[in-house]
């Protein structure tokens, strides 16, 4: 299982949000490109970049900065505001190896399936950001986590898997940025129900013990953001996981 370092970008700066809330933003002093270089030198085999300005604007905004990071040579998956085929094409042209798509895939799965056909299953990743309602149902969040969609998650995944979907980034929003650890039950359920998909767990990783626990769930990778920035997850863990993946 790989550790994929996450870099969230807002106004060209490195930030982290709590549960996707732009009003609860923590800014870091790191230069984004130099931080990415540090992760690459630590052995990262992928980087996960989020254009938060793009997420709010509903179209990619920081493409030039994404291109500078992609130019380091390590594959980058990136998302934030992807709403059209032209958005996908612009990110791929900037050097992004895999484009992360959320709202369109949830609301218009046929459109996303057509993109899978056009660009290839390795060039796209479904962002499945989940909220649990009062009845215990998992609902997919849309529009930068500002609202919940009403799609049936199981039906959506079954349909897209039939169309070639391979990579899924999944976040339990309740755990994101809260320092409570990842939702192991959720990831074990997802990987068990859809073992043919390459699951990327996102949200809640605090330290090496969380990484070890996630390895038992069947996910292919986990995204780590704040834990790497704060040092509670040592950089050495990135290379250690890469060697055993």
């Amino acid at each position: 299982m790989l550790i994929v370092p996450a870099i969230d970008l807002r106004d060209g700066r490195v930030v982290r949000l709590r549960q996707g809330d732009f009003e609860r933003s923590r800014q870091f002093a790191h230069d984004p490109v130099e931080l990415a270089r540090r992760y690459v030198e630590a052995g990262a085999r992928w980087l996960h970049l989020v254009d938060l300005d793009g997420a709010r604007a509903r179209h990619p905004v920081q493409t030039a900065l994404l291109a500078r990071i992609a130019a380091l040579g390590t594959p980058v998956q990136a998302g934030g505001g992807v709403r059209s085929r032209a958005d996908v094409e612009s990110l791929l042209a900037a050097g992004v190896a895999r484009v992360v798509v959320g709202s369109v895939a949830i609301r218009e799965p046929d459109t996303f399936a057509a993109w899978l056909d056009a660009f290839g299953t390795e060039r796209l990743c479904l962002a499945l950001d989940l909220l649990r309602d009062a009845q215990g149902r998992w609902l997919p969040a849309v529009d930068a986590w500002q609202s919940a969609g009403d799609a049936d998650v199981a039906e959506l995944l079954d349909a897209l898997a039939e169309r070639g979907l391979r990579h899924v980034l999944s976040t339990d929003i309740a755990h994101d940025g809260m320092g409570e650890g990842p939702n192991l039950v959720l990831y074990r359920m997802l990987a068990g129900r859809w073992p043919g998909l390459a699951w990327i767990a996102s949200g809640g990783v605090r330290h090496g013990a969380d990484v070890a626990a996630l390895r038992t769930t069947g996910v292919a990778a986990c995204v780590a953001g704040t834990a790497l920035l704060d040092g509670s997850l040592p950089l050495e863990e990135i290379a250690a996981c890469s060697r055993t993946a």
Side-chain angles (χ1 to χ4, degrees), residues 106 126 128-131 137-141 149-160 170 186 189-190 194 199:
I106 302 302
L126 168 66
L128 188 66
D129 305 315
L130 298 172
L131 292 161
R137 298 175 302 167
W138 288 105
L139 300 176
D150 57 2
D152 183 284
V153 172
E155 290 182 3
L156 176 72
L157 289 170
D158 285 343
L160 291 177
S170 185
L186 172 64
M189 181 272 288
L190 292 172
W194 291 276
W199 290 95

Side-chain angles (χ1 to χ4, degrees), residues 98-168:
R98 186 183 298 147
V99 178
V100 180
V101 181
S103 297
V104 170
I106 302 302
R107 288 192 170 120
E108 305 172 38
D110 288 341
T111 297
F112 182 66
W115 295 353
L116 288 170
D117 292 337
F119 298 108
T121 188
E122 291 301 319
R123 307 306 301 276
L124 293 167
C125 177
L126 168 66
L128 188 66
D129 305 315
L130 298 172
L131 292 161
R132 203 162 198 176
D133 69 8
Q135 288 72 47
R137 298 175 302 167
W138 288 105
L139 300 176
V142 293
D143 299 331
W145 296 3
Q146 301 308 300
S147 57
D150 57 2
D152 183 284
V153 172
E155 290 182 3
L156 176 72
L157 289 170
D158 285 343
L160 291 177
E162 288 184 4
R163 295 292 297 270
L165 176 66
R166 171 63 177 159
H167 300 280
V168 186

Side-chain angles (χ1 to χ4, degrees), residues 16-177:
R16 296 295 292 170
L17 306 183
R18 290 168 64 89
Q19 296 181 324
D21 187 345
F22 284 83
E23 300 305 316
R24 293 191 289 173
S25 174
R26 179 183 174 192
Q27 185 172 311
F28 293 83
H30 302 285
D31 174 82
V33 178
E34 291 308 310
L35 178 62
R37 192 188 313 277
R38 181 182 174 197
Y39 290 149
V40 169
E41 292 173 350
R45 286 165 54 177
W46 279 87
L47 298 174
H48 177 70
L49 308 179
V50 182
D51 179 357
L52 292 173
D53 297 315
R56 296 193 84 172
R58 302 191 181 189
H59 62 82
V61 171
Q62 302 189 79
T63 308
L65 180 53
L66 298 179
R68 290 175 60 203
I69 295 174
L72 296 175
T74 291
V76 163
Q77 67 175 25
V82 176
R83 293 293 192 277
S84 69
R85 179 173 176 142
D87 292 338
V88 177
E89 291 171 343
S90 70
L91 291 179
L92 293 176
V96 171
R98 186 183 298 147
V99 178
V100 180
V101 181
S103 297
V104 170
I106 302 302
R107 288 192 170 120
E108 305 172 38
D110 288 341
T111 297
F112 182 66
W115 295 353
L116 288 170
D117 292 337
F119 298 108
T121 188
E122 291 301 319
R123 307 306 301 276
L124 293 167
C125 177
L126 168 66
L128 188 66
D129 305 315
L130 298 172
L131 292 161
R132 203 162 198 176
D133 69 8
Q135 288 72 47
R137 298 175 302 167
W138 288 105
L139 300 176
V142 293
D143 299 331
W145 296 3
Q146 301 308 300
S147 57
D150 57 2
D152 183 284
V153 172
E155 290 182 3
L156 176 72
L157 289 170
D158 285 343
L160 291 177
E162 288 184 4
R163 295 292 297 270
L165 176 66
R166 171 63 177 159
H167 300 280
V168 186
L169 175 80
S170 185
T171 307
D172 177 355
I173 294 173
H175 285 243
D176 186 70

Side-chain angles (χ1 to χ4, degrees), residues 153-234:
V153 172
E155 290 182 3
L156 176 72
L157 289 170
D158 285 343
L160 291 177
E162 288 184 4
R163 295 292 297 270
L165 176 66
R166 171 63 177 159
H167 300 280
V168 186
L169 175 80
S170 185
T171 307
D172 177 355
I173 294 173
H175 285 243
D176 186 70
M178 300 305 291
E180 299 174 353
N183 187 337
L184 302 176
V185 173
L186 172 64
Y187 296 124
R188 191 170 289 113
M189 181 272 288
L190 292 172
R193 173 64 177 79
W194 291 276
L197 300 178
W199 290 95
I200 306 169
S202 175
V205 171
R206 300 164 296 181
H207 40 56
D210 286 336
V211 174
L214 279 168
R215 191 178 291 117
T216 70
T217 68
V219 300
C222 69
V223 167
T226 304
L228 288 172
L229 289 165
D230 285 343
S232 60
L233 180 66

